[in-house]
Amino acid sequence: MRDRIVEELGDLPRSRFLVYLMGPYEAFDAERALADIDPDAVPESVDFGTLIGSDHELDRDEAALDLLLSVRDHLRTTAGVNAFLAIDVDVPLSEMDAATQSIAFARASNAVAYVVPAVGDNLGVGIEVGSVLEALFDEETADHRRERVMFVHESGVRSAMIAAVRDRWEARIYSYENRRDLTRQLRLFVRDLIRKERTGDVPRLD
């Protein structure tokens, strides 16, 4: 899967350093993912409330996707890493369902970042978080994988899902105030992982 992703995304200074960005956007098929995973393995997910605001006059789905695209492009241009969304990799649902794709992309990536803005309905994110983290951390390499996962949510967002991420999987959780703060935190997270791979603190994937 790593080779397939790199081939589709193209050349960058750090083409083999894959950063899988996850978050709520219109293309996510929540009903399909929910049907394909064990509901007992998914933490409770609740409505985050009304939209706090966005940088553009877009509806909720467009604002969320616009944020993820902006973060992806920022990481690609400033850090030179192959940041991508699930919609950037052409894997037909007839070949692999959405939930299985998310797990495969996460396992193939050097870093996985969940971005949760205050957009209202984040059921899809809750489903993805539960299924992917269960798959990643239920392995012998779980400790090393925790180093590669970041969960960052907009300030003011509260849910049982966030508590589960912290308590059940001991994943790192951060909050951000605005888009600039978000991109800064993600850039630092990626740069720290690059350094840890170089020094051997985190095993290289290739």
Side-chain angles (χ1 to χ4, degrees):
M1 180 60 77
R2 278 180 62 80
D3 290 338
R4 181 173 182 176
I5 295 171
V6 171
E7 183 177 350
E8 290 204 27
L9 296 181
D11 292 330
L12 284 169
R14 297 186 178 92
S15 294
R16 306 250 349 141
F17 194 97
L18 301 179
V19 181
Y20 181 32
L21 295 172
M22 305 176 69
Y25 56 90
E26 188 176 12
F28 179 71
D29 188 342
E31 290 185 0
R32 172 181 286 273
L34 185 60
D36 289 335
I37 58 178
D38 180 2
D40 294 333
V42 180
E44 179 185 1
S45 179
V46 300
D47 190 347
F48 288 150
T50 58
L51 182 63
I52 291 178
S54 67
D55 297 331
H56 305 284
E57 294 298 324
L58 304 170
D59 66 28
R60 293 190 317 182
D61 287 338
E62 289 173 331
L65 180 56
D66 178 71
L67 177 65
L68 291 173
L69 292 172
S70 175
V71 169
R72 178 201 65 187
D73 294 345
H74 179 83
L75 289 175
R76 291 174 68 86
T77 56
T78 63
V81 297
N82 247 332
F84 70 99
L85 310 180
I87 57 176
D88 293 325
V89 183
D90 185 18
V91 179
L93 290 177
S94 58
E95 176 185 340
M96 186 181 297
D97 64 77
T100 304
Q101 282 186 32
S102 288
I103 293 171
F105 293 157
R107 283 176 169 161
S109 297
N110 300 73
V112 179
Y114 296 88
V115 179
V116 185
V119 295
D121 183 8
N122 281 273
L123 174 62
V125 177
I127 293 169
E128 285 191 301
V129 168
S131 60
V132 171
L133 290 183
E134 284 287 339
L136 286 182
F137 293 168
D138 188 26
E139 299 179 1
E140 293 181 1
T141 57
D143 289 340
H144 290 147
R145 289 187 182 274
R146 283 189 177 87
E147 293 286 331
R148 300 185 182 277
V149 177
M150 178 184 188
F151 187 97
V152 56
H153 63 87
E154 187 171 354
S155 295
V157 170
R158 298 288 185 272
S159 85
M161 176 184 66
I162 295 176
V165 169
R166 181 184 61 248
D167 298 336
R168 179 169 182 150
W169 294 290
E170 300 178 357
R172 289 181 289 183
I173 299 177
Y174 302 92
S175 64
Y176 68 93
E177 297 294 333
N178 50 47
R179 185 172 298 196
R180 181 178 179 181
D181 184 30
L182 170 62
T183 54
R184 179 187 63 84
Q185 291 193 51
L186 288 170
R187 187 174 65 252
L188 292 175
F189 168 64
V190 167
R191 288 180 176 175
D192 183 56
L193 265 178
I194 292 172
R195 179 189 61 79
K196 287 180 177 179
E197 284 197 357
R198 284 176 176 170
T199 60
D201 292 336
V202 174
R204 291 177 180 266
L205 294 188
D206 288 327

